Structures are given as C-alpha cells and as structure tokens.
Amino acid sequence: TPIAAPEDRPRILIVDDERININLLNALLKADYKIMVATDGEQALKAAMTGKPELILLDIVMPGIDGYEVCRRLKAMAETQTIPIIFITAMGDVENEAMGFALGAVDYIAKPFNSAVVKARVGVHMKLKRNGDMLENLASMDALTEVPNRRAFDQTRKQEWARSLRDGLPISFVMIDIDMFKQYNDNYGHGAGDECLTRIAKALNGCVQRPGDLLARYGGEEFAAILTNTPEEGAKRMAELL
C-alpha cells in the first residue's frame, strides 16, 4: 500500500522539552503521521488550538507549565477537549498514572521508548479517535439532506455564542422556512418533498462558505444558519443570498 501524502496523514503533536525525545519519536512515527512539535507547555497549547492535531504525545515534566497543567487546559477548552492525550513519562508509580487518567489522558508511554510499544499504542488510539470522529459526524448529520442537524446546530450555537462573548465579536443567526411546503408535499407526494428538501439544503449550504459558519436543518422544512463575526448588515446580505 503506498504511503499517504504528508498532508493526508493523521496529525500528531509531540510535546517534550528534550530534543532527543522529539527526534526519537519523530523517527518512529514520521512514515505514517504528520508530526507537529512543541518544546514547552505554552507552545503546546497554541499548536493544539491552531494545528488541530488528532493525537497529542505530552511529556509530564517540563519547565514552566507541566504536562498535567497542559492536559487540564486542553480538556477545559471546547476546541481541544476531544483530542486524545498520551503522556510521555519516566515516572512509573501508580499515583502519577492515576492522576493523568483522572485529568483525561488515554494512555502512558514510558521512557526509554520501546519502538513496538510506541507504534502500537499510537496506532490504537489514532484508530479509536478516527472511529469516534466518524460516529460523531454521523450523529451530527441530517440523514436526508446531508447537512448538519439540530443537534449540531445547538452545540455550535453554544460554542460560538460563548466565543463571541469572550472575544467581543458580533454573531448572527438566520432562520429559514420553506413557504407552502405542506401543500407541495400533499400535491406531489413525500418522495418529491424529500427531493425538494435535499435540493434546497444543497443550495443553501453552497452559500455558507466561511470556516466557522454553519448551515443546518433545524427541523421539518426549517433551516438555520450561524454566521460568526457577522454584524447586522452582513447578516441581512447573507439572508437575501440564502
């Protein structure tokens, strides 16, 4: 099987203040994963937010913010809380391991590294992450129209509302209702009604292009859009376009 292009490979963030450990892990994993690197806690938090890794290998003992605190902060933020974290540690006592699991880590990898163990554990947790993402996507998708559903809309609304308050940015919501849809359904049948909904959803979704914005089926013949960082005039223009 040909090796995937670097941009298609799953992204792993390696966080360790010792370059030798980063180099060893990079050598073990670079054939199958796209590697991101941070050498302290502050860098790790920024890289996790901007680079959106699918797995984080996190050293515990680092100057400044240690691994436990980095884990605690990542799990407290909606944008990063679902990223699996594997602790890298030379400490083998049960108390420290228990603390890591309590903070939300999924596993430990001990130093010195055993290459077979590193590859196996990373592979297992990457597969679990991708399967979980797939199930989450299915649960958040409207089966008929293949746009996000009400559940996805409500989750995104809460996150983006909190972000707009935190950053002092405007946010707009648009509600869309299809006129005379019941009459259309009654006249042409539910099969034609489903096709109508699907075509309208595709047309609406094509208008919502910016990252962070969302078009969802709200229920029945209703759709809704979340427009981040959008004041009233921009929302009116988008509403007319929709």
Side-chain angles (χ1 to χ4, degrees):
T1 305
I3 295 174
E7 59 273 14
D8 297 328
R9 297 174 193 169
R11 297 176 304 284
I12 293 179
L13 172 60
I14 300 173
V15 186
D16 199 306
D17 62 316
E18 296 184 21
R19 274 282 168 186
I20 187 170
N21 292 328
I22 289 175
N23 292 340
L24 285 168
L25 290 169
N26 182 56
L28 287 172
L29 301 170
K30 66 181 180 181
D32 299 309
Y33 305 100
K34 183 177 180 180
I35 303 300
M36 303 160 53
V37 169
T39 55
D40 61 45
E42 291 285 0
Q43 284 183 20
L45 293 168
K46 290 176 184 175
M49 286 288 289
T50 57
K52 296 291 188 289
E54 292 169 75
L55 186 69
I56 298 174
L57 303 183
L58 178 59
D59 188 23
I60 293 176
V61 181
M62 295 184 293
I65 305 173
D66 68 9
Y68 291 138
E69 181 59 24
V70 172
C71 181
R72 192 178 287 112
R73 294 189 192 184
L74 290 172
K75 293 301 176 184
M77 294 187 289
E79 300 90 341
T80 55
Q81 63 186 195
T82 62
I83 305 173
I85 294 171
I86 299 177
F87 275 127
I88 304 167
T89 179
M91 300 182 294
D93 63 278
V94 175
E95 187 178 327
N96 283 313
E97 289 194 9
M99 181 176 176
F101 287 129
L103 290 172
V106 296
D107 210 345
Y108 273 82
I109 293 176
K111 303 176 197 174
F113 301 121
N114 177 303
S115 59
V117 170
V118 170
K119 288 181 179 180
R121 289 190 170 176
V122 167
V124 164
H125 290 295
M126 187 62 77
K127 186 176 181 181
L128 288 171
K129 166 66 171 165
R130 294 214 143 180
N131 287 346
D133 286 349
M134 184 175 65
L135 289 172
E136 180 69 21
N137 287 338
L138 286 173
S140 298
M141 192 69 64
D142 179 61
L144 174 65
T145 59
E146 297 184 349
V147 298
N149 59 18
R150 174 73 176 269
R151 175 177 180 266
F153 176 86
D154 287 341
Q155 288 179 337
T156 303
R157 175 181 53 79
K158 289 175 185 175
Q159 291 174 7
E160 294 302 336
W161 180 259
R163 193 202 308 273
S164 71
L165 290 176
R166 185 179 69 232
D167 298 339
L169 296 172
I171 186 168
S172 296
F173 302 95
V174 181
M175 293 296 296
I176 305 140
D177 183 78
I178 305 173
D179 289 341
M180 301 180 69
F181 185 70
K182 184 179 184 304
Q183 293 93 316
Y184 186 93
N185 245 347
D186 292 344
N187 190 62
Y188 296 107
H190 288 284
D194 287 350
E195 173 67 14
C196 172
L197 283 172
T198 301
R199 291 173 66 183
I200 288 174
K202 186 176 180 181
L204 294 174
N205 206 33
C207 299
V208 182
Q209 299 288 346
R210 296 186 315 169
D213 291 352
L214 180 85
L215 184 283
R217 186 180 179 193
Y218 198 73
E221 70 271 30
E222 293 179 320
F223 294 85
I226 297 171
L227 308 175
T228 58
N229 196 15
T230 304
E232 183 178 354
E233 285 306 311
K236 286 179 178 178
R237 285 195 297 271
M238 177 57 79
E240 291 294 343
L241 178 63
L242 291 163

